[in-house]
Amino acid sequence: MGVQDVLSRKTGVIVGDDVQKLFKHCQEKNFAVPAINVTSSSVVVAALEAARDTKSPMILQISQGGAAFFAGKGVANGNQEASIAGAVAGAEYIRAIAPSYGIPVVLHTDHCAKKLLPWLDGMLDYDEKYFEQHGEPLFSSHMIDLSEEPVDWNIKTTASYLQRAAPMKQWLEMEIGITGGEEDGVNNESVDNNSLYTQPEDIYEIYKTLSPISPYFSIAAGFGNVHGLYKPGNVKLHPELLEKHQAYVKEKTDSKTDKPVFLVFHGGSGSTKDEYLKAIGYGVVKINLDTDMQYAYLSGVRDFVLSKKDYLMKPVGNPDGEDKPNKKFFDPRVWVREGEKTMTVRVKEALKDFNTADQL
């Protein structure tokens, strides 16, 4: 039995019960779905193409900075208006194009820290309007990241947002324990290493608080995760901590399953396949990838420009003749496509590493 056998909506953006069914299937079959940060239609199709070709589900996520880029860097964003508009535009685009690829897609938004809550509020406004018209939210899920705040306030505030999302059966991802490194303007490079490791008691407190509100939530627990790329050995990941979290919650709740919590792996770029598989075995259903994908996209554009340099210096005239036109080299559809192709290759690699390939 594959993913599409358990979903009511087989292709396109899935919501509500289907998101939960997907994540339960992940845990049962020991695979996780990569969450690819998207900043343009080009990045979207690169990820979707990889998922289609490997017969895999996919999570596409938009960060606050990525959403602003989607809107256009020339749009003012003092009150998050560009990030709200860009996220909505990106979501509408993904909803329109995803069915063409024949795979189920979770439409998600990435890290929303305390200072960015107006961005989340604005997107939820659109979700509620969309729900009134279509019976489902615009986005499958959102992520609220209050991991830098006191634990009690983090949990209380997350609960209030889950209460808002619950009537729409919208998924909410939260974070407890800080992810180190730097990404998208959030810099945790100087945090104390102890802050990178979440305690089982915190996981249970979150589960106990959120479960009565809605079953549609997941937890990004810190086990040494760091955003960005790093040299092997520089980061000490301890995925075995996730097993302790699951066991603790199971004991406290008398759960019949060994994996009562849907867990998320942040800072996935640069990790080893063994680290991925261990985390998946302990109930991780979603793994975030951004930095690796950015570099993969660049490599295709870079290699094309370097190899065709003599055809890109002027509109007309190249080594084949002074009167030869160069449009077929400088047309953005040519060199942008090269970035898409190399990124697609990297996404396919991740889909295989996470056991996602051929799960449809």
Side-chain angles (χ1 to χ4, degrees):
M1 180 179 290
V3 168
Q4 290 177 320
D5 295 314
V6 303
L7 301 181
S8 60
R9 182 177 296 168
K10 313 299 182 183
T11 64
V13 172
I14 62 172
V15 296
D17 291 334
D18 275 343
V19 176
Q20 186 183 42
K21 289 175 183 176
L22 170 62
F23 290 157
K24 282 185 176 180
H25 195 70
C26 286
Q27 290 186 333
E28 291 170 2
K29 300 297 183 181
N30 275 318
F31 72 95
V33 185
I36 308 299
N37 283 67
V38 295
T39 54
S40 69
S41 60
S42 177
V43 177
V44 168
V45 300
L48 290 176
E49 189 172 328
R52 180 200 64 197
D53 292 351
T54 56
K55 298 179 174 60
S56 309
M58 174 57 65
I59 300 172
L60 299 179
Q61 60 186 23
I62 306 174
S63 69
Q64 182 263 354
F69 189 83
F70 231 115
K73 294 295 286 185
V75 179
N77 203 28
N79 296 310
Q80 301 299 323
E81 56 266 50
S83 289
I84 294 168
V88 171
E92 294 280 14
Y93 170 73
I94 291 168
R95 275 188 169 272
I97 202 66
S100 299
Y101 288 81
I103 59 164
V105 175
V106 176
L107 176 52
H108 182 65
T109 63
D110 203 8
H111 292 271
C112 181
K114 181 180 180 180
K115 65 181 179 180
L116 301 179
L117 287 176
W119 174 52
L120 180 54
D121 293 335
M123 291 188 293
L124 285 168
D125 288 342
Y126 275 93
D127 282 318
E128 289 164 345
K129 292 175 184 176
Y130 196 91
F131 184 82
E132 289 177 3
Q133 296 175 343
H134 304 282
E136 64 185 54
L138 176 60
F139 295 89
S140 311
S141 58
H142 295 293
M143 192 228 170
I144 183 169
D145 179 6
L146 305 177
S147 57
E148 293 183 332
E149 312 305 324
V151 172
D152 290 347
W153 192 85
N154 179 354
I155 297 174
K156 178 182 177 181
T157 306
T158 297
S160 70
Y161 275 92
L162 186 60
Q163 286 174 332
R164 186 175 178 184
M168 299 181 283
K169 289 190 171 182
Q170 188 175 49
W171 198 271
L172 188 66
E173 176 187 328
M174 67 88 68
E175 182 164 352
I176 187 80
I178 296 172
T179 301
E182 189 276 333
E183 181 183 58
D184 208 27
V186 177
N187 194 322
N188 292 326
E189 292 175 310
S190 60
V191 300
D192 177 32
N193 280 346
N194 290 330
S195 300
L196 303 180
Y197 302 97
T198 304
Q199 301 305 308
E201 293 81 5
D202 291 335
I203 299 296
Y204 171 62
E205 189 62 31
I206 295 164
Y207 189 88
K208 181 177 70 174
T209 303
L210 299 187
S211 290
I213 301 171
S214 168
Y216 306 111
F217 69 90
S218 52
I219 303 173
F223 55 98
N225 318 56
V226 174
H227 285 134
L229 289 173
Y230 40 85
K231 292 182 180 179
N234 283 9
V235 174
K236 303 299 182 183
L237 288 178
H238 291 281
E240 68 276 5
L241 294 176
L242 303 179
E243 183 181 29
K244 294 181 179 180
H245 299 336
Q246 298 283 20
Y248 191 81
V249 173
K250 178 182 179 179
E251 177 188 351
K252 287 291 187 178
T253 61
D254 292 324
S255 173
K256 295 179 181 179
T257 174
D258 291 333
K259 303 172 187 176
V261 185
F262 295 110
L263 295 172
V264 177
F265 187 150
H266 279 202
S269 292
S271 300
T272 67
K273 184 175 180 178
D274 183 60
E275 288 168 337
Y276 292 139
L277 294 178
K278 283 182 179 178
I280 291 168
Y282 301 140
V284 163
V285 298
K286 171 179 179 279
I287 301 178
N288 287 9
L289 291 175
D290 186 20
T291 306
D292 273 356
M293 302 304 149
Q294 293 175 344
Y295 190 78
Y297 191 102
L298 165 69
S299 65
V301 177
R302 177 202 62 208
D303 293 349
F304 177 81
V305 170
L306 291 176
S307 66
K308 304 297 183 183
K309 177 178 177 292
D310 292 337
Y311 296 82
L312 299 173
M313 303 307 293
K314 50 189 176 180
V316 178
N318 59 50
D320 299 329
E322 283 302 313
D323 60 344
K324 298 293 185 181
N326 294 318
K327 179 172 170 41
K328 65 181 180 181
F329 300 102
F330 65 71
D331 185 331
R333 291 171 294 182
V334 177
W335 51 268
V336 166
R337 178 56 182 162
E338 294 303 312
E340 292 174 0
K341 288 192 289 188
T342 48
M343 179 178 161
T344 294
V345 170
R346 181 62 185 87
V347 177
K348 287 180 179 179
E349 180 184 337
L351 290 164
K352 293 174 183 176
D353 285 346
F354 304 164
N355 291 335
T356 330
D358 295 317
Q359 291 288 353
L360 290 189

